[in-house]
């Protein structure tokens, strides 16, 4: 998989072993011991996704206000309208994801923005949840998409 | 070093291999997210001849959020306050994960060449700049001589 920030655990492991990014996709997921029952709650809390309703604000789902929940749900919907695909080596223009600075590997999930900039799906989705702009050209990802979605 | 994202390692390696002219950025021995930065005052600016120490820190969220950068050397500049905080859009709302340590430091170098008193961080300095630019530039030059002389940098 991509060496993006959400998979930082995988990243650490592959770095310790000195592998490069091409191998990490082939590696089995690191074995995680099932937590003993009394640890279930804290473990779950640690794994709860963190949302960023506005730049610089980090909250878990339970801490979000109703407005923030709506905003995040809308954003998730918009992001899901953007095309995705697997890297097959034919994308001649982009070889590297500028967010994680790793080269695209065969089979990795990519997301294509309307401005034709391409990123790892995981990397760009993380950013789009914070700011609905393309990191490379700073254009709003798709104003038209936004209006149709909100009025329909 | 545990948990250091690959991107930070790559950026550090590239900064070392191809340094930016007039800028050094060296990672701290204890903390690979903390960089000791020295920016040379650009020629034809009142900061010419000065070496300005900065600290740069990559927060946990980097590159989803901007590096934190601060001048450690005193500087007379309308967009830099007494605490060394910098008013620069890419460090705030215009941050993008496509930017890097390198581009941030280049922008700071450019800010020294082109102070912008219309978007001030230090109001008194900006006022000085707007009412009497020549006198403000003189003052900036004096501060450079006083605080940013090459031999002062290591003594902090």
């Amino acid at each position: 998989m991509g060496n993006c920030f959400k998979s930082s655990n995988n990243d650490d492991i592959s770095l310790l072993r000195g592998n490069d990014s091409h191998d990490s996709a082939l590696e089995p997921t690191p074995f995680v011991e099932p937590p003993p029952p009394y640890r279930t709650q804290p473990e779950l809390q640690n794994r709860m996704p963190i949302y960023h309703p506005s730049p610089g604000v980090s909250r878990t789902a339970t801490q979000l206000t109703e407005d923030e929940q709506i905003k995040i749900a809308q954003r998730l919907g918009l992001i899901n309208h953007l095309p995705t695909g697997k890297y097959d080596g034919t994308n001649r223009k982009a070889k590297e994801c500028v967010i994680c600075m790793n080269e695209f590997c065969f089979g990795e999930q990519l997301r294509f923005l309307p401005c034709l900039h391409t990123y790892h799906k995981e990397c760009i989705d993380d950013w789009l949840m914070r700011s609905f702009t393309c990191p490379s050209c700073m254009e709003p990802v798709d104003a038209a998409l936004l209006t149709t979605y909100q009025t329909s | 070093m545990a948990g250091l994202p690959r991107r930070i390692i790559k950026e550090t390696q590239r900064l070392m291999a191809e340094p930016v002219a007039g800028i050094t950025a060296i990672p701290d021995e204890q903390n690979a997210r903390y960089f000791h930065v020295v920016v040379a005052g650009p020629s034809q600016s009142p900061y010419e001849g000065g070496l300005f120490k900065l600290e740069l820190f990559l927060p946990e969220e980097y590159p989803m959020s901007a590096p934190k950068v601060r001048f450690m050397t005193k500087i007379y500049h309308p967009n830099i306050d007494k605490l060394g905080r910098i008013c620069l859009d890419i460090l705030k709302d215009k941050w993008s994960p496509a930017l890097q340590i390198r581009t941030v430091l280049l922008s700071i170098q450019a800010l020294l060449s082109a102070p912008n008193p219309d978007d001030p961080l230090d109001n008194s300095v900006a006022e000085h700049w707007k009412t009497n630019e020549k006198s403000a530039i003189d003052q900036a030059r004096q501060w450079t001589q006083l605080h940013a002389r090459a031999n002062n940098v290591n003594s902090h």
Side-chain angles (χ1 to χ4, degrees), chain A residues 16-41:
Chain A
L16 286 173
R17 290 180 190 162
N19 289 344
D20 71 23
S21 58
H22 297 272
D23 299 334
S24 57
L26 306 170
E27 277 174 16
T29 3
F31 178 70
V32 181
E33 223 174 278
Y38 67 91
R39 281 184 64 197
T40 303
Q41 276 310 97

Side-chain angles (χ1 to χ4, degrees), chain B residues 49-52 73 143-154:
Chain B
L51 290 177
F52 296 88
T73 305
W143 278 38
T144 304
Q145 289 305 311
L146 211 59
H147 305 292
R149 293 274 295 278
N151 50 6
N152 283 347
V153 166
N154 293 324

